[in-house]
Amino acid sequence: MDINSQVSSQDKIAHTRRPRKLTKSHTAATFTLPDGMTYKIVATNKTSPQLSQHVLKHANSREVTVLKRNDPFLTHAMDSSELDLELTTYASKKLEVERMPPVDTLAAPKLCSTRLQHIIDLLKTDGMVDKGDIIKNLEYSISVLDTLYIEETKRLFDDDDALNEVEPDAVPSEVRDWLAQTFTKSQTGTRVQGERPKFKSVAQAVRAGLMVDRLYRRMSSCGSESAVEPPTPVAKILKDVDQWSFNVFDLDEHSGGNSLRYMGYELIRSQGLISKLRINGNHLDNFLTALQVGYSKYSNPYHNLIHGADVAQTVYALLQISGLMKWLTDIEIFATIIAALIHDYEHTGTTNNFHIMSRTSLAMLYNDRAVLENHHLSAAFELMKSEDKNILSGLKAEEYREFRSLVIDMVLATDMSGHFQQIKNMRSMLSCAENIEKSKALSLILHTADISHPSKPWVVHKRWTDNLIEEFFKQGDREKVLGIACSPLCDRQTTLVEKSQIGFITIIVEPSFNVLGDMMEKLVAVLQNNNTLVDSGTQAHTILEDVEAEASQLNHIKSTNLKSLSMKEVAMVKHWEVCLAENRKKWKELAGVEDDPPEKSDDRNNNANSTNSRSTNRDTLN
């Protein structure tokens, strides 16, 4: 029996809403659903070559079951080929949308594409296109894409729900059973190897990809986004976390002494890293809480959890102010934030020189080389190995290696004994900025942030200075008890605080920020000039990053380096220059020292290489 005889035998029930129940004498059944679509079920022992391309075939035992969908828009008044030709001509020649097919019909996507191409061709040839016609066609296109999205995502994720939406009376029970057995997940089995999911449009692929990503992030984060919920006053303060004038002491006061915990969580959350890097939120909270305990171990006036939060915020602000945040991958951003948070973990409140001279167990363990910095790293990574504090469990092996290497480089670079060499090396690299390694650039950012309090507003800088000097004096007291030489700036009886800060700003901090500012401007210039991806990445740039703004959340699949930044995005205001000048002036007033005349101020950086000053400041900051 051919398809024509099957169809004709059922003409009498072709448009009924409730078809007769199938019996052995029936070879076909037709029914109409509430959506206006007519469906024909045909049972035959062999496949007919005359079946239309809109007929879906599904093998069931020895029979072939055919589901045919007739569009009400495709009338029987003309041959389907003639209708297709007329519609295509209409879509490719006209601009009105009145005769375009309904958005939920099979013809809509193809004719929509034809119409948009027609409009593009007119615009390219300077043809006259009415703005109103463009708007109407775009609105029609949006409706078509939305319809496709709804249909496709239901098919992908809600097979059972889609079947349940069909009214019980709309199809016979055996038809429902057949649909359930054939099209729901319980009967689909495994996908054939090599078979790929098919999408009717790029928009569907984008939307479906976003949906999958959201579902995955929700499951992998295990509700982690709400693991740390800051109180309202804290949340209000953290809104300004990217501002240079941020006052970390206010944060610590309003957070009940939990500034590091809330700061760390906010920086990681703000970049979407919890979901992108599959970080368990409870583990992150446990890790940050443990960091606070470690920072408080020796009750240091300066090297405490507030300092850790302050340095992390300063690093974040520098990356945002310069625009270099967009130069970094998710792993690099995560490593930079964690390095800043842990850079002084379990600091003893004494300098490296104190450990070496007093022959402490840490000095013995690390052979007098970057004693504290090595301990900060080792202790922090041990902390991250704990099951309930493991924030790295979601990283792949290569991601973990990259993360660990970068964190180690950055924290070791905070050893002040390498300050002048670090500054010298970066100055030499500025002549060929495109060759600056990310690890070197990020290391300088963290190192400069670590000594940045003189570049902050006076009220913040003065408080940090008082805390630091008190910590130095406590070390001096211990040195006197141990009978070893008192380190510079550590003797309560002889230290001149005002003059020490003038020298610290002039010889250490200001030159560091000058080099840092030059480095950031050079890097941004390189990115602007390239106008392409810098350094080929290990992963392909994906369409999801360019089609929708939402896709910016899918950074776990972005390429290793990002596209160049626009000039507007990287306009950099060096807020620290004003603060440095004002703070130095205040210290000179307190010390009774006259301010430098303009010509001497211009040459100040040339005087920063004094050997005596170099050794004095280097020894007192670690």
Side-chain angles (χ1 to χ4, degrees), residues 7 171 240 311 515:
V7 173
V171 294
D240 296 327
V311 171
V515 173

Side-chain angles (χ1 to χ4, degrees), residues 376-390:
H376 304 325
L377 284 164
S378 178
F381 272 100
E382 281 293 331
L383 198 62
M384 286 182 269
K385 285 174 59 179
S386 302
E387 184 176 354
D388 64 337
K389 303 176 188 67
N390 189 351

